[in-house]
Amino acid sequence: MNEVVAGLDIGGTNSAIGIVDRSGNCLSSSVIPTAAFAEVDQFVAAGEQAIRELLHNNPEWKLAGIGIGAPNGNYYRGTIEFAPNLHWKGIIPLADLFGKRFGVKSVLTNDANAAAIGEMIFGGAKGMRDFIIITLGTGVGSGIVVNGELVYGHDGFAGEIGHTIYDPNGRDCGCGRKGCLETYTSAGGIKRTLFELMGQRNTKSSFRGKSFDEITAADIATAATAGDELALEAFDITGKILGLKLADSVAHTSPEAIFLFGGLAKSGKLIFEPTQRYMEENMLNIFKNKVKLLPSLLKEENVAILGAAALAWKELDK
Amino acid sequence: MNEVVAGLDIGGTNSAIGIVDRSGNCLSSSVIPTAAFAEVDQFVAAGEQAIRELLHNNPEWKLAGIGIGAPNGNYYRGTIEFAPNLHWKGIIPLADLFGKRFGVKSVLTNDANAAAIGEMIFGGAKGMRDFIIITLGTGVGSGIVVNGELVYGHDGFAGEIGHTIYDPNGRDCGCGRKGCLETYTSAGGIKRTLFELMGQRNTKSSFRGKSFDEITAADIATAATAGDELALEAFDITGKILGLKLADSVAHTSPEAIFLFGGLAKSGKLIFEPTQRYMEENMLNIFKNKVKLLPSLLKEENVAILGAAALAWKELDK
């Protein structure tokens, strides 16, 4: 029998489920539509069925544990707490609900934390004891690792760098406050920057004929690569704000490396170059030229599953 | 024989040396003038003599270790590195220099980190696994504790919250950059705020007849207590900026408590009230009304010695 774990990535629309071995190979996977289940018990039943089907096809696999990455996930309690993008309200003990169905250890953390553990166990942070991962997607998430352990904080919710404040009088954030880093450096954030620039500059741009709703961060990257000045400036501003705030993060935990991950990170040099430059510019002397800014080494399509699975393996190895 | 450790607090002008027992009692102490020694070897010789004299008077004490708190202290290497306020330039292996003279374990960290360990072992953070200490003195220092361990980072220099940036176009900082938290919330920072307010407001104030050089943060506290409006506003602004940046720190490590310590913290409610209020106002929902803002429970006069001694005891107990 070969030991495997199930990695679950709970998303607002869909949830991905994968069977992962000790080396970080995602052996088999499937998807269930989170939003289709009004009640969490229905979702758990569907999740159980999906996992059993994946296992059924390969009788040599023995399920050793379950790892779950979820929005507003609380590691200490194994719960999802008041997640704004899920139907299930209040506090949901999802780790227990899955663990009981299979009689195995089941652990849960938030999705960015899971990505950090994935990077540490299977990706580019192997052997690193102090690093930070920043996910630049629909939102901006983060996972902080100190002394080889994920920072959960006293309540299980640590690592919300996306909700540190860049400008207390700044942009409206989905969290109800103003000026959070997320409103500037997420996929939506760079679009907001581009639209502000269209107001501030007279510069011609391929975006002058497009509405806010019809463009994406990927369009801005494509235009920047083609030389669109406003798109290039939007990336520079995004890197400037991200670099400034990452310098603050370095002052907290002095990581060996910061990994960028998610939609915007796929823009490569467009985002890495200004972020690194402005981070160095804003760092205290003792930290300068020490902190590597790196792309995640995990494959985009499986990263959330691998992160959740890595959490399960790490827990089983304790 | 009763085991004791020596705690050394290295300051730019004077260094304090104390003999401390396991319960955190400072049994005996003395001071040597750091600035009088051009060479570090002379300083170490004087330090050795001071410790031997303290021990000589009490033959029942057995020295088990030495702990040192120092500016720009590197825990991993036991060194002071490029400290701007000390005569000794470059990298000074102070822990080794002292350790060899007594044949005992000798450890070193920066002064704010030592204060955090002191609070954890002997003070108000007993039993807490996640907390932050902020020293509001000539500078603004910090020590971050995660999972019961001090955060040193990959290079030994983590925990520089005083040098996170409040305003990248803001006040000149001694570190060579602009707008560091320290330039607003140190003893000098509140004075700078008061002087800016004297320019902005027409309000009468007891400070209108005083020069920048002749007033101190303590004077501002006294005036605020007596109802001086500008002094009160200076405290409110200081708390606003500190609260805003502490909300960022909470988003990183989600501590159970933040301890304020040092000169400005002695102003009590004048600084605690606005700091707590603005911190709550700027915190992400999941962190609100959870983080205690507390005064240090260590006695001001011995805190640096106790912190250094606590570091030694913690190391001996490993």
Side-chain angles (χ1 to χ4, degrees), chain B residues 23-164:
Chain B
S23 307
N25 301 302
C26 185
L27 306 169
S28 181
S29 67
S30 66
V31 171
I32 56 174
T34 322
F37 302 98
E39 301 298 328
V40 69
D41 286 332
Q42 301 167 340
F43 172 78
V44 174
E48 179 187 2
Q49 197 190 332
I51 295 172
R52 291 208 187 277
E53 278 170 17
L54 295 174
L55 293 172
H56 181 75
N57 300 333
N58 294 277
E60 75 276 18
W61 295 344
K62 183 178 177 299
L63 188 73
I66 297 170
I68 305 171
N72 290 43
N74 186 312
Y75 168 76
Y76 293 133
R77 312 209 276 177
T79 49
I80 297 176
E81 306 194 4
F82 309 102
N85 297 325
L86 298 179
H87 289 319
W88 326 315
K89 297 305 168 200
I91 298 176
I92 308 291
L94 200 68
D96 266 6
L97 290 174
F98 271 100
K100 277 179 192 157
R101 292 197 177 231
F102 291 92
V104 297
K105 187 149 196 172
S106 173
V107 281
L108 179 152
T109 189
N110 87 35
D111 27 22
N113 286 351
I117 296 177
E119 204 68 44
M120 179 163 54
I121 307 284
F122 300 134
K126 270 185 201 170
M128 290 189 186
R129 295 183 55 79
D130 299 276
F131 71 93
I132 294 175
I133 187 161
I134 305 281
T135 64
L136 304 170
T138 311
V140 173
S142 67
I144 304 172
V145 171
V146 163
N147 289 330
E149 294 293 333
L150 201 85
V151 178
Y152 290 110
H154 86 289
D155 60 353
F157 290 119
E160 287 287 356
I161 294 173
H163 291 282
T164 59

Side-chain angles (χ1 to χ4, degrees), chain B residues 190 206-207 216-228 231-232 235 266-267 270:
Chain B
I190 194 169
S206 54
F207 293 107
T216 66
D219 295 336
I220 303 174
T222 305
T225 305
D228 185 289
L232 283 164
F235 269 101
K266 280 191 263 182
S267 317
L270 286 171

Side-chain angles (χ1 to χ4, degrees), chain A residues 112-151:
Chain A
N113 285 351
I117 295 177
E119 204 67 44
M120 179 162 56
I121 308 283
F122 300 134
K126 270 185 199 168
M128 289 188 187
R129 294 183 55 78
D130 299 276
F131 71 94
I132 294 175
I133 187 159
I134 305 283
T135 65
L136 304 170
T138 311
V140 172
S142 67
I144 303 172
V145 171
V146 163
N147 289 328
E149 294 293 333
L150 201 84
V151 177

Side-chain angles (χ1 to χ4, degrees), chain A residues 54-207:
Chain A
L54 295 173
L55 293 172
H56 180 75
N57 299 334
N58 294 278
E60 74 277 17
W61 295 342
K62 181 181 179 297
L63 188 73
I66 297 170
I68 305 171
N72 290 43
N74 186 312
Y75 167 77
Y76 293 132
R77 311 209 275 178
T79 49
I80 297 176
E81 305 194 6
F82 310 101
N85 299 325
L86 299 178
H87 289 320
W88 324 316
K89 297 307 169 200
I91 297 175
I92 309 292
L94 201 68
D96 266 7
L97 291 173
F98 272 100
K100 276 179 193 156
R101 291 197 177 233
F102 291 92
V104 298
K105 186 147 197 174
S106 174
V107 279
L108 180 151
T109 188
N110 88 35
D111 28 22
N113 285 351
I117 295 177
E119 204 67 44
M120 179 162 56
I121 308 283
F122 300 134
K126 270 185 199 168
M128 289 188 187
R129 294 183 55 78
D130 299 276
F131 71 94
I132 294 175
I133 187 159
I134 305 283
T135 65
L136 304 170
T138 311
V140 172
S142 67
I144 303 172
V145 171
V146 163
N147 289 328
E149 294 293 333
L150 201 84
V151 177
Y152 290 111
H154 86 290
D155 60 353
F157 290 121
E160 288 287 357
I161 294 174
H163 290 282
T164 59
I165 294 177
Y166 166 66
D167 176 359
N169 303 310
R171 297 176 180 173
D172 293 341
C173 184
C175 75
R177 298 176 306 154
K178 281 182 188 291
C180 293
L181 181 63
E182 173 167 305
T183 67
Y184 297 88
T185 67
S186 60
I190 194 168
K191 202 162 85 165
R192 293 167 87 160
T193 300
L194 180 79
F195 271 69
E196 286 190 356
L197 283 173
M198 289 210 275
Q200 286 162 23
R201 306 267 180 267
N202 282 326
T203 319
K204 280 183 187 166
S205 165
S206 55
F207 293 108

